[in-house]
Amino acid sequence: MSAVLAEAAPAAKREAAPAVAVVLLGTGVVGGAFLKLLNTPAAASLRLVGAANSRRQQTEPAKLAERNLREQLKSTGVQRDDAALLAALDASDATIKVIVDATASGELAARHAEWLVRGYHVVTANKSLGGGELPGWRALQAALANGARYGDSATVGAGLPVLSTLRRLRQCGDALLTLEGVFSGSLSYLFNGYDGSRPFSALLREARERGYTEPDPRADLSGEDVARKLLIIARNAGFALGWDEVQVESLVPEPLRAIDTEQFLARLEELDEPLAALHAEAKARGNVLRFLARLNQRGHARVGLVEVSAEHPAARLYGTDNQFALTTTRYHTQPLVIQGPGAGPEVTAQALLGDVLALG
């Protein structure tokens, strides 16, 4: 129905079935940003039929339509029941039924393949399946053979067109040879700003206060989030890599890995001396430190802190920028570089919405 006809006959629009019915799992910062986008004209063809956080859910149309749905779910709504959420999708007359996973739950990610087999489309910001153990990735690929579609643009680069570009290149017969880049907005911010004039721990506390890191910064400093993104890209490029085939260098000293979050935050200064020494060595050689992910054409993958020259592309990043440099059989003399903000709920939610709209 055109916009003109929709305005001329609002009652008809309300009676018509939506083109796309959506259940949202996760109403945190990304899920909350997605809910706001559902109230924009761009999402006019979508109808939210269910929403849930980790404890409560809502499927009543009147409640779902309220602007403060995210806040309401913190204290009201019925107990979380995924079967009831899927029943709400099934009861919809929509021709396209989508589950949007805006969580980081490994348990939920493990169900993506099952949902695809049952005929639901899945759109996700959750990296736990695509960047997890190889059998999970293979189960996902097998499930996609049934015709359902998997929107994963939000899993890498907060929606920067990395995976879509890579897939288009492969469709044209191109092949990835090497990949290098900065895949973490928080680590990008930390090392773009770390010049030795302030302790690393002070910069880390500042980044945490600004919301650039996870509440427990070890989720960023461990390198595991970057490794998941590297696996997602590599697998989409045709490298069947397992988790144990990625060499991951953690920035968290061994004594700080098993303690609770509050203890870790109280001992951040223990990060300072090792990083200050590395910074001084790099500076003496005219280099800077960057946390890079690298993949070569033999499938060797590594994530960790490296020295790069001042002329290196990663040395010229700003703020939370991500950067992906793809060398392919056709982009061989110079890599194809994709760069831009790699963190933020708004851009991540936009990537989710874009993948949902692409199903229509």
Side-chain angles (χ1 to χ4, degrees), residues 29-30 184-191 200-222 225 229 251-252 261 264-265 268 271 319-320 342-345:
V29 290
V30 172
S184 166
S186 56
L187 292 173
S188 181
Y189 175 84
L190 287 169
F191 287 102
F200 185 83
S201 58
L203 189 62
L204 179 57
R205 286 195 173 94
E206 178 182 285
R208 185 174 182 270
E209 289 169 2
R210 293 188 177 193
Y212 292 159
T213 73
E214 294 296 326
D216 185 339
R218 286 174 295 186
D220 305 288
L221 299 174
S222 70
D225 181 66
K229 295 173 184 176
L251 297 180
V252 183
T261 302
F264 172 71
L265 293 174
L268 287 184
L271 299 170
T320 61

Side-chain angles (χ1 to χ4, degrees), residues 29-30 125 127 153-162 181-190 192 211-214 220 225-226 229 233 317-324 338-351:
V29 290
V30 172
K127 297 180 281 292
S153 298
T155 62
V156 174
L160 289 172
V162 180
V182 175
F183 297 179
S184 166
S186 56
L187 292 173
S188 181
Y189 175 84
L190 287 169
N192 290 340
Y212 292 159
T213 73
E214 294 296 326
D220 305 288
D225 181 66
V226 175
K229 295 173 184 176
I233 298 172
L317 296 179
Y318 175 78
T320 61
D321 276 0
N322 276 195
Q323 183 182 82
F324 304 83
I338 300 169
Q339 180 176 321
E346 291 80 12
V347 289
T348 305
Q350 178 171 274

Side-chain angles (χ1 to χ4, degrees), residues 230-285:
L230 178 58
L231 278 174
I232 291 170
I233 298 172
R235 289 167 177 175
N236 275 282
F239 295 88
L241 292 181
W243 180 260
D244 59 348
E245 295 179 273
V246 182
Q247 181 184 349
V248 181
E249 177 193 353
S250 174
L251 297 180
V252 183
E254 187 69 39
L256 301 183
R257 294 179 186 178
I259 60 179
D260 65 35
T261 302
E262 291 307 313
Q263 289 177 309
F264 172 71
L265 293 174
R267 295 172 60 181
L268 287 184
E269 282 73 18
E270 293 179 37
L271 299 170
D272 291 339
E273 186 177 344
L275 285 169
L278 291 173
H279 171 76
E281 292 170 5
K283 185 177 181 180
R285 289 187 280 268

Side-chain angles (χ1 to χ4, degrees), residues 6 19 36 115 124 134 142 195 258-259 273-274 289 297 341 360:
K36 290 180 181 179
W115 291 333
T124 185
L134 192 56
D195 60 5
I259 60 179
E273 186 177 344
L289 298 175
Q297 61 195 98

Side-chain angles (χ1 to χ4, degrees), residues 14 26 57 71 87 126 137-138 163 175 188 215 223 246-247 249 251 258 279 284 290 299 302:
R14 285 195 298 270
Q57 68 185 42
E71 288 68 31
N126 190 334
W137 168 260
R138 287 175 171 154
L163 296 178
S188 181
V246 182
Q247 181 184 349
E249 177 193 353
L251 297 180
H279 171 76
R290 293 294 184 266
R302 183 187 182 277

